[in-house]
């Protein structure tokens, strides 16, 4: 124990040096016209690439170069995702696999093409021989995203041709990962339950005839059962998270790492690491933690005044985590509306009725209605605020009895489709390693010989 204490003390002293030497004066960013976070002052992202895969529409630019807010749209390969959702519902089909096909190949599949593709994906869901025992059960992780990333990297060792950079081989690797991500996440969760929480271990085989949503519910539940409505709303969540343009952090990561001409597993594992970040994939968990706090302190969920008063406390840094953030409100691109939030909210109404959660859904709806006004009154309207998809996705997962440990992994299970499309796009169209510039603002110093240092 004394050795551990000494090590911590030593590291503590060293960390103080980094805290002193690493900060940079914010004024220098303005002096050198640096776009911090690759964003302009008005929140727009710096244009660093071109893509044909997806688009996120939240504003137009007028003739004077000003942003003009418009209703949000999410576009996959030129098609509005709302149309994809409506068509899937009309035909009583699960739509995620159709989105995967569209994102990878750029075209909407015919029914025959979709059937062949979903059959192919289904045939690949099982992990390679002894993978579960050797790579998951013998090395469980307290964090499922960490386990997924390690599973992706471990897949390299099970690939007979891992370094082949041909488009055909990369496509094979991506489709295998898309097929297996739900299995990796579910088995990683089961291993955590057993080894970190002392609970029973359930390892069910994925069924090739089931959709991604159905298989995930089957693999994470001890009794392997789920309702059609449960699978449908999870499928909707997967559709809505499958792609979000090339500028989001994890998709950009895929482009950057792929541009270095590395293997597929390294590129996708890096994207998982990005999505694991609390500023990226973990937002819906923060929403749920905030909602736990609101439900604890707002005694009457039907009272507009009580809800409003407590939201003011949160926004004024007097309640919850004291950051002043109302989680689930606002987005980097969407202004008037986030179409993903609207679609998920509407579908959640049916599930809330089935699960007896209508009072809770009313609370969510009231916060969605009230929060923008609270934020506007306190901070002014520098930009329009709308409720984003993270506000409702956590609520949906909670009604599905999905543990919070699996919220961000579900995001990864969906987004692997977009990552794969961006990986292939970079290989086909990129051809040049990403190499942005950083301005060194430290200046040169005269070297001090060892004998003269104090």
């Amino acid at each position: 124990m004394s050795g551990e204490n000494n090590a911590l003390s030593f590291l503590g002293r060293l960390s103080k040096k980094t805290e002193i030497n690493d900060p940079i004066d914010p004024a220098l960013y303005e002096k050198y016209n640096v776009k911090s976070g690759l964003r302009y002052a008005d929140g727009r992202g710096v244009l660093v690439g071109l893509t044909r895969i997806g688009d996120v529409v939240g504003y137009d630019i007028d003739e004077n170069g000003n942003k003009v807010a418009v209703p949000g749209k999410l576009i996959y390969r030129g098609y509005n995702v709302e149309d994809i959702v409506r068509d899937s519902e009309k035909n009583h089909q699960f739509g995620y696999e159709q989105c995967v096909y569209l994102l990878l190949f750029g075209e909407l599949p015919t029914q025959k093409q979709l059937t062949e593709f979903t059959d192919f994906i289904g045939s690949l869901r099982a992990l390679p021989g002894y993978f579960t025992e050797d790579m998951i059960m013998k090395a469980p992780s307290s964090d499922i995203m960490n386990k997924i990333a390690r599973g992706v990297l471990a897949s390299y060792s099970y690939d007979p041709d891992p370094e082949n950079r041909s488009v055909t081989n990369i496509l094979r690797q991506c489709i295998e990962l898309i097929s297996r991500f739900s299995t990796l996440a579910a088995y990683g969760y089961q291993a955590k339950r057993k080894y970190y929480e002392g609970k029973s271990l359930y390892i069910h085989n994925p069924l090739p005839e089931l959709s991604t949503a159905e298989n995930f519910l089957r693999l994470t539940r001890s009794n392997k059962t789920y309702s059609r409505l449960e699978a449908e709303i999870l499928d909707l969540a997967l559709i809505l998270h499958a792609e979000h343009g090339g500028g989001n952090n994890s998709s950009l990561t895929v482009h950057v790492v792929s541009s270095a001409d590395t293997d597929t597993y390294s590129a996708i594992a890096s994207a998982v690491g990005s999505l694991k970040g609390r500023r990226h994939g973990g937002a819906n968990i923060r929403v749920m933690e905030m909602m736990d706090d609101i439900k604890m302190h707002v005694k009457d969920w039907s009272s507009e005044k009580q809800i409003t008063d407590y939201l003011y406390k949160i926004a004024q840094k007097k309640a919850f985590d004291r950051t002043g953030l109302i989680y689930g409100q606002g987005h980097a691109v969407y202004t008037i509306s986030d179409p993903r939030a609207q679609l998920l909210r509407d579908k959640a109404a049916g599930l809330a009725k089935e699960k007896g959660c209508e009072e809770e859904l009313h609370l969510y709806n009231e916060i969605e209605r009230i929060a923008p006004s609270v934020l506007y009154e306190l901070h002014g309207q520098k930009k329009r605020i709308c409720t984003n998809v993270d506000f409702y996705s956590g609520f949906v997962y909670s009604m599905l009895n999905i543990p919070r440990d699996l919220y961000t992994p579900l995001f990864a299970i969906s987004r692997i489709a977009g990552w794969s499309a961006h990986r292939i796009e970079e290989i086909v169209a990129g051809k040049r390693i990403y190499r942005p510039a950083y301005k060194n603002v430290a200046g040169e110093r005269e070297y001090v010989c060892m004998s003269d240092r104090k």
Side-chain angles (χ1 to χ4, degrees), residues 75-314:
I75 307 297
Y76 292 172
R77 293 286 191 177
Y79 297 103
N80 192 317
V81 74
E82 294 184 45
D83 294 328
I84 298 173
V85 170
R86 292 193 187 99
D87 188 54
S88 297
E89 291 177 343
K90 177 183 176 182
N91 292 289
H92 305 288
Q93 291 180 320
F94 294 107
Y96 175 67
E97 285 72 23
Q98 179 176 199
C99 286
V100 174
Y101 187 101
L102 173 63
L103 292 171
L104 289 180
F105 308 117
E107 299 176 351
L108 291 168
T110 64
Q111 185 59 60
K112 180 182 178 182
Q113 290 171 331
L114 180 59
T115 299
E116 291 175 344
F117 185 64
T118 53
D119 288 347
F120 184 54
I121 286 181
S123 70
L124 298 171
R125 292 203 191 277
L127 302 181
Y130 300 105
F131 189 103
T132 302
E133 296 88 336
D134 294 342
M135 297 299 169
I136 297 179
M137 295 304 160
K138 290 183 179 178
S141 175
S142 60
D143 187 281
I144 311 305
M145 290 295 284
N146 173 271
K147 188 71 259 182
I148 293 174
R150 289 159 65 188
V152 171
L153 290 174
S155 297
Y156 180 103
S157 301
Y158 292 77
D159 188 331
D161 198 10
E163 290 289 344
N164 184 340
R165 303 290 200 277
S166 71
V167 174
T168 299
N169 195 58
I170 291 173
L171 179 62
R172 171 189 64 81
Q173 293 169 331
C174 287
I175 291 176
E176 288 179 356
L177 288 174
I178 291 168
S179 303
R180 293 169 181 164
F181 250 49
S182 57
T183 310
L184 284 172
Y187 287 2
Y189 165 68
Q190 295 293 352
K192 185 197 174 198
R193 273 174 47 92
K194 174 176 173 57
Y195 293 105
Y196 285 87
E197 301 172 12
K199 297 180 180 178
S200 298
L201 176 68
Y202 300 98
I203 298 295
H204 307 309
N205 293 328
L207 297 181
E209 66 270 20
L210 299 183
S211 68
T212 301
E214 291 174 300
N215 261 308
F216 181 80
L217 292 173
R218 168 186 164 82
L219 296 181
T220 53
R221 294 181 172 181
S222 60
N223 60 10
K224 300 181 284 188
T225 62
Y226 51 87
S227 71
R228 174 75 185 190
L229 180 58
E230 287 180 317
E232 285 178 352
I233 197 166
L234 182 57
D235 178 71
L236 173 62
L238 295 177
I239 293 172
L240 299 178
H241 288 93
E243 160 63 4
H244 215 239
N248 69 83
N249 195 277
S250 55
S251 294
L252 176 63
T253 298
V254 169
H255 278 281
V256 172
V257 178
S258 293
S259 78
D261 194 26
T262 191
D263 66 277
T264 296
Y265 303 104
S266 295
I268 298 301
S270 67
V272 175
S274 166
L275 189 68
K276 179 176 180 283
R278 288 178 292 182
R279 293 178 181 172
H280 191 1
N284 55 16
I285 297 176
R286 297 299 290 157
V287 170
M288 294 303 292
E289 292 170 345
M290 179 189 74
M291 292 303 298
D292 288 343
D293 183 77
I294 290 174
K295 286 184 283 188
M296 184 187 306
H297 290 92
V298 175
K299 303 304 180 184
D300 183 359
W301 296 358
S302 65
S303 170
E304 178 177 343
K305 183 179 186 307
Q306 288 189 31
I307 295 171
T308 302
D309 289 346
Y310 199 69
L311 289 177
Y312 270 108
K313 288 183 179 180
I314 293 175

Side-chain angles (χ1 to χ4, degrees), residues 9-20:
S9 177
F10 177 67
L11 290 172
R13 294 195 301 273
L14 291 178
S15 68
K16 291 180 180 178
K17 292 180 180 293
T18 63
E19 291 172 6
I20 292 171

